Amino acid sequence: MNTETRREIFDLMSTHDHEQVVFTYDPSSGYRGIIAIHNTALGPALGGTRFWNYESDYEATIDVLRLSRGMTYKASVAGLNLGGGKAVIIGDPTKDKTRHLLLSMGQLIETLNGSYIAAKDSGILPEDLDIVSEKTRHVTGTTKKQGGSGDPSLATAKGVLAGMQAACQVVFGTKSLKGRVVAIQGIGHVGWNVGNLLWKKGATLFVADPQSSRVKRAQQTWKASVVPLARIHRVPADIFAPCALGGIMNADTIPQLRARIVAGGANNQFLDEKADPYLLMKRNILHVPDYVLNAGGLIYLVVREILHQRRLAPWMLNIERTVKQVLAASLQEQLPPLVVANRMALQRLESH
Ligand code: NAD
């Protein structure tokens, strides 16, 4: 990494107020990863680990910095006493994920003494977290066999659905999803569960995913229409649901959107968080901020593994209530919902 890039990274850390960012390379296992701890004012920083084939270390750094800050805001708005953190592993999970590498990651997490608590994100499975947990206690979402609560994606999807219903109430005057047309970008863990819940509610689905087995399954199970990757955001739909990776909403794609609502599980949906939310608002498209909508997975891990409780339903209602609150304030103040949600998150952090 050259000095120019390094300076930019430290500038980014200070811009977003990160507490600690750890870059680690372990040549014996090939582990190359970054753990970013954004803010621990409310509690330890819990957040997923993403295993992704980034084009550059710099791209990975930007991703982990943005994702970890999103976790701080997510926990704050959801009313959880947790901080925000996230980890990325640089590599192709289908080729580079080995037991040795996951143990290296566990060792590293252990050195942070609980300030970062791991969970799953793209490219990581509960079984992988079982291996990580051989080296550290600071892991959530391990398999049930290992004493954890397993994959939180269904809970994430339930929260996404609750938020979609709240958005439909605002735009269409009814929260019913029956007959609504929804275009889902990415039908992995979250996207698949979102699709399934929508299908059960009578929605008509359009899907796109580079993995052909997944789209085939969606065609067969839900009678979904399959759309090329580059066109999914252009489908004339009631709801566009980004459930893949970040940055889908940008200066190029926003003018092409033909949905009334954007509400999905993917983190960091705007490429430029300052300008893009305003572009979307100008087009009169309602956006439900991702970290408000997709908090269900985080809540699930906390309720099951930290609070040791069973009932999730009141927490899901809370997501719906928060979405309603954010959308109402956004309409009243003529501000993008993301700006309103960020303000709510910061208020709780500052008053703590
Ligand atoms: P996943 O890896 O299981 O699924 C992602 C899917 O997106 C895959 O099927 C992949 O093939 C597909 N994809 C990749 N590029 C695509 C493209 N250009 N167009 C369409 N599809 C594409 O990951 P996941 O766990 O489902 O997470 C999805 C998103 O939701 C991520 O942004 C993640 O951070 C966020 N999220 C997940 C959870 C959770 O509980 N898993 C919780 C909160 C937020």
Side-chain angles (χ1 to χ4, degrees), residues 50 74 120-123 152-153 156 185-190 208-211 214 229 243-245 265-267 294:
R50 178 174 285 186
K74 186 183 305 196
K120 93 167 251 353
D121 198 89
S122 267
S153 307
T156 302
Q185 182 189 45
I187 41 173
H189 287 83
V190 175
D209 195 297
Q211 301 196 40
R214 293 189 175 168
L229 298 181
C243 293
L245 297 181
N267 282 309
N294 69 18

mmCIF file of all heavy atoms in Angstrom, residues 50 74 120-123 152-153 156 185-190 208-211 214 229 243-245 265-267 294, ligand 1:
data_model
loop_
_atom_site.group_PDB
_atom_site.id
_atom_site.type_symbol
_atom_site.label_atom_id
_atom_site.label_comp_id
_atom_site.label_asym_id
_atom_site.label_seq_id
_atom_site.Cartn_x
_atom_site.Cartn_y
_atom_site.Cartn_z
ATOM 1 N N ARG A 50 -17.348 -10.546 6.455
ATOM 2 C CA ARG A 50 -17.643 -10.746 5.029
ATOM 3 C C ARG A 50 -16.389 -11.312 4.347
ATOM 4 O O ARG A 50 -15.305 -10.748 4.488
ATOM 5 C CB ARG A 50 -18.028 -9.405 4.411
ATOM 6 C CG ARG A 50 -18.297 -9.471 2.934
ATOM 7 C CD ARG A 50 -18.812 -8.142 2.414
ATOM 8 N NE ARG A 50 -20.194 -7.912 2.782
ATOM 9 C CZ ARG A 50 -20.919 -6.870 2.362
ATOM 10 N NH1 ARG A 50 -20.377 -5.975 1.569
ATOM 11 N NH2 ARG A 50 -22.180 -6.731 2.739
ATOM 12 N N LYS A 74 -27.074 0.900 13.220
ATOM 13 C CA LYS A 74 -28.123 -0.132 13.273
ATOM 14 C C LYS A 74 -28.460 -0.479 14.726
ATOM 15 O O LYS A 74 -29.628 -0.500 15.113
ATOM 16 C CB LYS A 74 -27.616 -1.392 12.544
ATOM 17 C CG LYS A 74 -28.664 -2.473 12.401
ATOM 18 C CD LYS A 74 -28.137 -3.749 11.752
ATOM 19 C CE LYS A 74 -27.489 -3.548 10.413
ATOM 20 N NZ LYS A 74 -27.319 -4.798 9.652
ATOM 21 N N LYS A 120 -22.039 -13.759 11.058
ATOM 22 C CA LYS A 120 -21.889 -14.084 9.638
ATOM 23 C C LYS A 120 -22.240 -12.903 8.733
ATOM 24 O O LYS A 120 -23.018 -12.049 9.101
ATOM 25 C CB LYS A 120 -22.723 -15.320 9.281
ATOM 26 C CG LYS A 120 -24.115 -15.069 8.762
ATOM 27 C CD LYS A 120 -24.717 -16.300 8.151
ATOM 28 C CE LYS A 120 -24.882 -16.353 6.665
ATOM 29 N NZ LYS A 120 -24.652 -15.315 5.753
ATOM 30 N N ASP A 121 -21.607 -12.880 7.584
ATOM 31 C CA ASP A 121 -22.033 -12.001 6.501
ATOM 32 C C ASP A 121 -21.770 -12.789 5.214
ATOM 33 O O ASP A 121 -21.487 -14.002 5.269
ATOM 34 C CB ASP A 121 -21.253 -10.670 6.518
ATOM 35 C CG ASP A 121 -21.964 -9.583 5.700
ATOM 36 O OD1 ASP A 121 -22.804 -8.861 6.268
ATOM 37 O OD2 ASP A 121 -21.704 -9.459 4.489
ATOM 38 N N SER A 122 -21.856 -12.142 4.077
ATOM 39 C CA SER A 122 -21.657 -12.827 2.799
ATOM 40 C C SER A 122 -20.363 -13.644 2.798
ATOM 41 O O SER A 122 -19.317 -13.151 3.225
ATOM 42 C CB SER A 122 -21.559 -11.797 1.679
ATOM 43 O OG SER A 122 -22.797 -11.597 1.116
ATOM 44 N N GLY A 123 -20.454 -14.868 2.325
ATOM 45 C CA GLY A 123 -19.257 -15.713 2.195
ATOM 46 C C GLY A 123 -18.893 -16.480 3.446
ATOM 47 O O GLY A 123 -17.918 -17.240 3.458
ATOM 48 N N PRO A 152 -28.813 -16.099 11.074
ATOM 49 C CA PRO A 152 -29.834 -15.095 11.432
ATOM 50 C C PRO A 152 -30.629 -14.576 10.238
ATOM 51 O O PRO A 152 -31.462 -13.677 10.389
ATOM 52 C CB PRO A 152 -28.989 -13.963 12.026
ATOM 53 C CG PRO A 152 -27.699 -14.051 11.283
ATOM 54 C CD PRO A 152 -27.473 -15.507 10.932
ATOM 55 N N SER A 153 -30.402 -15.136 9.042
ATOM 56 C CA SER A 153 -30.955 -14.509 7.826
ATOM 57 C C SER A 153 -32.484 -14.488 7.782
ATOM 58 O O SER A 153 -33.076 -13.553 7.231
ATOM 59 C CB SER A 153 -30.434 -15.216 6.571
ATOM 60 O OG SER A 153 -29.042 -15.268 6.603
ATOM 61 N N THR A 156 -33.542 -11.596 9.721
ATOM 62 C CA THR A 156 -33.281 -10.377 8.934
ATOM 63 C C THR A 156 -34.418 -10.171 7.940
ATOM 64 O O THR A 156 -34.964 -9.068 7.802
ATOM 65 C CB THR A 156 -31.942 -10.505 8.167
ATOM 66 O OG1 THR A 156 -30.901 -10.735 9.105
ATOM 67 C CG2 THR A 156 -31.634 -9.253 7.367
ATOM 68 N N GLN A 185 -32.912 -8.162 -5.940
ATOM 69 C CA GLN A 185 -31.544 -8.280 -6.461
ATOM 70 C C GLN A 185 -30.725 -9.126 -5.490
ATOM 71 O O GLN A 185 -30.428 -8.693 -4.387
ATOM 72 C CB GLN A 185 -30.901 -6.891 -6.576
ATOM 73 C CG GLN A 185 -29.499 -6.965 -7.148
ATOM 74 C CD GLN A 185 -28.785 -5.633 -7.063
ATOM 75 O OE1 GLN A 185 -28.831 -4.959 -6.033
ATOM 76 N NE2 GLN A 185 -28.113 -5.265 -8.122
ATOM 77 N N GLY A 186 -30.412 -10.354 -5.864
ATOM 78 C CA GLY A 186 -29.633 -11.233 -4.991
ATOM 79 C C GLY A 186 -30.539 -12.125 -4.177
ATOM 80 O O GLY A 186 -31.319 -11.644 -3.337
ATOM 81 N N ILE A 187 -30.494 -13.437 -4.458
ATOM 82 C CA ILE A 187 -31.336 -14.349 -3.676
ATOM 83 C C ILE A 187 -30.451 -15.353 -2.932
ATOM 84 O O ILE A 187 -30.568 -16.564 -3.075
ATOM 85 C CB ILE A 187 -32.438 -15.029 -4.531
ATOM 86 C CG1 ILE A 187 -31.891 -15.451 -5.904
ATOM 87 C CG2 ILE A 187 -33.627 -14.123 -4.687
ATOM 88 C CD1 ILE A 187 -32.891 -16.278 -6.695
ATOM 89 N N GLY A 188 -29.554 -14.760 -2.122
ATOM 90 C CA GLY A 188 -28.733 -15.568 -1.223
ATOM 91 C C GLY A 188 -29.494 -15.779 0.080
ATOM 92 O O GLY A 188 -30.718 -15.938 0.086
ATOM 93 N N HIS A 189 -28.786 -15.737 1.195
ATOM 94 C CA HIS A 189 -29.428 -16.035 2.488
ATOM 95 C C HIS A 189 -30.597 -15.096 2.794
ATOM 96 O O HIS A 189 -31.683 -15.536 3.132
ATOM 97 C CB HIS A 189 -28.392 -15.975 3.610
ATOM 98 C CG HIS A 189 -27.465 -17.143 3.597
ATOM 99 N ND1 HIS A 189 -26.357 -17.192 2.778
ATOM 100 C CD2 HIS A 189 -27.496 -18.311 4.261
ATOM 101 C CE1 HIS A 189 -25.746 -18.351 2.958
ATOM 102 N NE2 HIS A 189 -26.413 -19.052 3.853
ATOM 103 N N VAL A 190 -30.352 -13.801 2.671
ATOM 104 C CA VAL A 190 -31.427 -12.854 2.991
ATOM 105 C C VAL A 190 -32.453 -12.812 1.865
ATOM 106 O O VAL A 190 -33.664 -12.939 2.097
ATOM 107 C CB VAL A 190 -30.857 -11.434 3.235
ATOM 108 C CG1 VAL A 190 -31.976 -10.435 3.448
ATOM 109 C CG2 VAL A 190 -29.933 -11.443 4.438
ATOM 110 N N ALA A 208 -32.888 -11.569 -9.778
ATOM 111 C CA ALA A 208 -31.623 -11.654 -10.514
ATOM 112 C C ALA A 208 -30.547 -12.114 -9.545
ATOM 113 O O ALA A 208 -30.502 -11.651 -8.388
ATOM 114 C CB ALA A 208 -31.241 -10.293 -11.085
ATOM 115 N N ASP A 209 -29.713 -13.044 -10.004
ATOM 116 C CA ASP A 209 -28.593 -13.519 -9.188
ATOM 117 C C ASP A 209 -27.616 -14.210 -10.146
ATOM 118 O O ASP A 209 -28.057 -14.948 -11.038
ATOM 119 C CB ASP A 209 -29.078 -14.523 -8.119
ATOM 120 C CG ASP A 209 -28.033 -14.748 -7.027
ATOM 121 O OD1 ASP A 209 -26.931 -15.262 -7.345
ATOM 122 O OD2 ASP A 209 -28.305 -14.374 -5.872
ATOM 123 N N PRO A 210 -26.303 -13.990 -9.970
ATOM 124 C CA PRO A 210 -25.349 -14.644 -10.876
ATOM 125 C C PRO A 210 -25.330 -16.168 -10.708
ATOM 126 O O PRO A 210 -24.839 -16.869 -11.598
ATOM 127 C CB PRO A 210 -23.999 -14.034 -10.491
ATOM 128 C CG PRO A 210 -24.203 -13.328 -9.209
ATOM 129 C CD PRO A 210 -25.660 -13.052 -9.041
ATOM 130 N N GLN A 211 -25.870 -16.673 -9.602
ATOM 131 C CA GLN A 211 -25.818 -18.128 -9.383
ATOM 132 C C GLN A 211 -27.065 -18.779 -9.999
ATOM 133 O O GLN A 211 -28.178 -18.627 -9.472
ATOM 134 C CB GLN A 211 -25.717 -18.428 -7.899
ATOM 135 C CG GLN A 211 -24.471 -17.781 -7.301
ATOM 136 C CD GLN A 211 -24.114 -18.345 -5.956
ATOM 137 O OE1 GLN A 211 -24.212 -19.541 -5.726
ATOM 138 N NE2 GLN A 211 -23.688 -17.482 -5.055
ATOM 139 N N ARG A 214 -29.673 -20.814 -8.048
ATOM 140 C CA ARG A 214 -30.602 -20.038 -7.195
ATOM 141 C C ARG A 214 -31.762 -19.480 -8.008
ATOM 142 O O ARG A 214 -32.908 -19.543 -7.572
ATOM 143 C CB ARG A 214 -29.843 -18.906 -6.490
ATOM 144 C CG ARG A 214 -28.856 -19.470 -5.502
ATOM 145 C CD ARG A 214 -28.216 -18.457 -4.610
ATOM 146 N NE ARG A 214 -27.394 -19.176 -3.639
ATOM 147 C CZ ARG A 214 -26.513 -18.625 -2.835
ATOM 148 N NH1 ARG A 214 -26.302 -17.333 -2.857
ATOM 149 N NH2 ARG A 214 -25.828 -19.366 -1.982
ATOM 150 N N LEU A 229 -28.803 -9.496 -14.683
ATOM 151 C CA LEU A 229 -28.270 -8.766 -13.520
ATOM 152 C C LEU A 229 -28.347 -7.252 -13.709
ATOM 153 O O LEU A 229 -28.713 -6.523 -12.788
ATOM 154 C CB LEU A 229 -26.800 -9.144 -13.288
ATOM 155 C CG LEU A 229 -26.498 -10.610 -12.958
ATOM 156 C CD1 LEU A 229 -25.015 -10.812 -12.746
ATOM 157 C CD2 LEU A 229 -27.288 -11.051 -11.730
ATOM 158 N N CYS A 243 -30.773 -7.015 -2.244
ATOM 159 C CA CYS A 243 -30.379 -7.998 -1.216
ATOM 160 C C CYS A 243 -29.038 -8.634 -1.578
ATOM 161 O O CYS A 243 -28.775 -9.795 -1.236
ATOM 162 C CB CYS A 243 -31.449 -9.085 -1.081
ATOM 163 S SG CYS A 243 -33.010 -8.490 -0.411
ATOM 164 N N ALA A 244 -28.191 -7.883 -2.322
ATOM 165 C CA ALA A 244 -26.859 -8.419 -2.660
ATOM 166 C C ALA A 244 -25.824 -7.578 -1.919
ATOM 167 O O ALA A 244 -25.848 -7.540 -0.690
ATOM 168 C CB ALA A 244 -26.667 -8.400 -4.173
ATOM 169 N N LEU A 245 -24.953 -6.907 -2.652
ATOM 170 C CA LEU A 245 -23.953 -6.089 -1.972
ATOM 171 C C LEU A 245 -24.279 -4.609 -2.141
ATOM 172 O O LEU A 245 -25.279 -4.263 -2.757
ATOM 173 C CB LEU A 245 -22.556 -6.438 -2.488
ATOM 174 C CG LEU A 245 -22.161 -7.896 -2.183
ATOM 175 C CD1 LEU A 245 -20.765 -8.186 -2.677
ATOM 176 C CD2 LEU A 245 -22.262 -8.225 -0.691
ATOM 177 N N GLY A 265 -32.524 -5.861 2.048
ATOM 178 C CA GLY A 265 -31.643 -6.224 3.155
ATOM 179 C C GLY A 265 -30.191 -5.821 2.988
ATOM 180 O O GLY A 265 -29.430 -5.837 3.959
ATOM 181 N N ALA A 266 -29.752 -5.466 1.766
ATOM 182 C CA ALA A 266 -28.328 -5.185 1.544
ATOM 183 C C ALA A 266 -27.880 -3.979 2.352
ATOM 184 O O ALA A 266 -28.631 -3.004 2.509
ATOM 185 C CB ALA A 266 -28.067 -4.941 0.065
ATOM 186 N N ASN A 267 -26.664 -4.031 2.846
ATOM 187 C CA ASN A 267 -26.092 -2.902 3.576
ATOM 188 C C ASN A 267 -25.521 -1.877 2.592
ATOM 189 O O ASN A 267 -25.083 -2.232 1.498
ATOM 190 C CB ASN A 267 -24.950 -3.395 4.474
ATOM 191 C CG ASN A 267 -25.476 -4.053 5.737
ATOM 192 O OD1 ASN A 267 -26.303 -3.490 6.448
ATOM 193 N ND2 ASN A 267 -25.007 -5.263 6.026
ATOM 194 N N ASN A 294 -32.847 -3.883 8.098
ATOM 195 C CA ASN A 294 -32.210 -5.208 8.157
ATOM 196 C C ASN A 294 -31.639 -5.542 9.537
ATOM 197 O O ASN A 294 -30.757 -6.399 9.654
ATOM 198 C CB ASN A 294 -31.151 -5.353 7.052
ATOM 199 C CG ASN A 294 -29.925 -4.477 7.270
ATOM 200 O OD1 ASN A 294 -29.682 -4.005 8.371
ATOM 201 N ND2 ASN A 294 -29.149 -4.270 6.220
HETATM 202 P P1 NAD B 1 -25.277 -14.032 0.451
HETATM 203 O O1 NAD B 1 -23.859 -14.043 -0.003
HETATM 204 O O2 NAD B 1 -25.868 -15.258 1.021
HETATM 205 O O3 NAD B 1 -26.212 -13.552 -0.753
HETATM 206 C C1 NAD B 1 -25.852 -12.554 -1.663
HETATM 207 C C2 NAD B 1 -26.428 -12.978 -3.006
HETATM 208 O O4 NAD B 1 -26.251 -11.895 -3.931
HETATM 209 C C3 NAD B 1 -25.734 -14.209 -3.613
HETATM 210 O O5 NAD B 1 -26.697 -15.149 -4.027
HETATM 211 C C4 NAD B 1 -24.962 -13.624 -4.791
HETATM 212 O O6 NAD B 1 -24.806 -14.548 -5.853
HETATM 213 C C5 NAD B 1 -25.854 -12.462 -5.171
HETATM 214 N N1 NAD B 1 -25.210 -11.414 -5.964
HETATM 215 C C6 NAD B 1 -23.921 -11.010 -5.972
HETATM 216 N N2 NAD B 1 -23.741 -10.035 -6.887
HETATM 217 C C7 NAD B 1 -24.952 -9.822 -7.461
HETATM 218 C C8 NAD B 1 -25.422 -8.950 -8.484
HETATM 219 N N3 NAD B 1 -24.615 -8.101 -9.099
HETATM 220 N N4 NAD B 1 -26.732 -8.995 -8.823
HETATM 221 C C9 NAD B 1 -27.580 -9.856 -8.218
HETATM 222 N N5 NAD B 1 -27.187 -10.720 -7.239
HETATM 223 C C10 NAD B 1 -25.891 -10.686 -6.873
HETATM 224 O O7 NAD B 1 -25.361 -12.825 1.501
HETATM 225 P P2 NAD B 1 -26.547 -12.524 2.519
HETATM 226 O O8 NAD B 1 -26.177 -13.030 3.858
HETATM 227 O O9 NAD B 1 -27.834 -12.864 1.906
HETATM 228 O O10 NAD B 1 -26.425 -10.931 2.625
HETATM 229 C C11 NAD B 1 -26.911 -10.095 1.573
HETATM 230 C C12 NAD B 1 -26.812 -8.636 1.993
HETATM 231 O O11 NAD B 1 -27.592 -8.414 3.155
HETATM 232 C C13 NAD B 1 -25.403 -8.166 2.324
HETATM 233 O O12 NAD B 1 -25.284 -6.809 1.951
HETATM 234 C C14 NAD B 1 -25.350 -8.292 3.830
HETATM 235 O O13 NAD B 1 -24.393 -7.417 4.402
HETATM 236 C C15 NAD B 1 -26.761 -7.863 4.172
HETATM 237 N N6 NAD B 1 -27.225 -8.346 5.478
HETATM 238 C C16 NAD B 1 -27.295 -9.676 5.734
HETATM 239 C C17 NAD B 1 -27.789 -10.109 6.961
HETATM 240 C C18 NAD B 1 -27.950 -11.582 7.271
HETATM 241 O O14 NAD B 1 -28.632 -11.901 8.258
HETATM 242 N N7 NAD B 1 -27.400 -12.482 6.467
HETATM 243 C C19 NAD B 1 -28.180 -9.169 7.941
HETATM 244 C C20 NAD B 1 -28.118 -7.822 7.630
HETATM 245 C C21 NAD B 1 -27.639 -7.400 6.392
#
